[in-house]
Amino acid sequence: MSTAERKLRLTKILLETDDEATLQAVEHTLAEQHERLARYWDVIHALDWSKEGDDAAVLAPAIAQLSQFQEADILGFYDWFAGQLYHLDGRDYAEASVAEDESLSADLFLYARCAVLANGRTFYERVRANPVLFPKDLYFDALLRLPEAAYEQRTGQPLPRAPKYIYETGFNVEGWGEEAVSVSRLN
């Protein structure tokens, strides 16, 4: 069952139920999700752009903030982080990210998606809704170190698993269609 089909099924169930306990459980779950997403965006917003040019210094406050999360919550952030990059992985975003006379680089496109995410929720959501707003020649590959560095600071260990989403360029089949496999081999 696709995500869209599941959403429709759940919406229908909610519309048809008059069970107060079910409605309260759904409200509670949505409130928790909203709070969790706000905390994740707070980590991104902790990046210190006054230190631009020194990537480690830009990342330091975000790493410090994320490392205060419980281990499971850092892993949740890692999945969310990977998902945000994954959702920007598509042909329309890629085409908007390069000048007409440039060719697409899989690595640079990943670093460009990092820059979009690093610029915060409002900017990210605008670009996500309108790919033509994707900036050209803006990269922040250092952001990729954020989840790992925070987890290592918290536990002294590397991340124990890969995230739910593969955020490397070309892996979002919805974004690339049949080209997905070949795009991932650009470099």
Side-chain angles (χ1 to χ4, degrees), residues 29-158:
T29 300
L30 291 174
E32 284 180 343
Q33 181 181 22
H34 178 75
E35 181 181 321
R36 186 173 44 255
L37 291 176
R39 287 181 70 209
Y40 293 166
W41 280 112
D42 286 346
V43 169
I44 297 297
H45 293 145
L47 295 168
D48 185 356
W49 293 109
S50 72
K51 306 278 194 303
E52 190 171 358
D54 181 351
D55 292 348
V58 171
L59 284 172
I63 292 169
Q65 184 171 338
L66 183 56
S67 70
Q68 298 303 306
F69 287 26
Q70 296 297 316
E71 290 176 40
D73 294 329
I74 295 173
L75 293 173
F77 175 89
Y78 187 35
D79 289 335
W80 171 84
F81 173 88
Q84 299 314 297
L85 296 175
Y86 175 86
H87 293 305
L88 289 176
D89 180 27
R91 179 184 7 263
D92 293 341
Y93 300 109
E95 289 173 355
S97 75
V98 295
E100 285 185 33
D101 59 335
E102 294 178 345
S103 59
L104 180 66
S105 159
D107 287 340
L108 288 180
F109 181 50
L110 171 58
Y111 306 156
R113 289 182 282 136
C114 288
V116 170
L117 179 57
N119 273 279
R121 185 177 196 161
T122 300
F123 185 73
Y124 177 89
E125 289 175 351
R126 283 183 185 150
V127 170
R128 178 105 189 266
N130 189 356
V132 299
L133 297 176
F134 203 106
K136 292 176 182 15
D137 300 320
L138 184 63
Y139 311 105
F140 192 61
D141 57 305
L143 190 66
L144 294 170
R145 294 192 300 269
L146 175 60
E148 179 96 27
Y151 192 85
E152 285 182 5
Q153 187 169 314
R154 172 79 181 179
T155 68
Q157 302 292 318

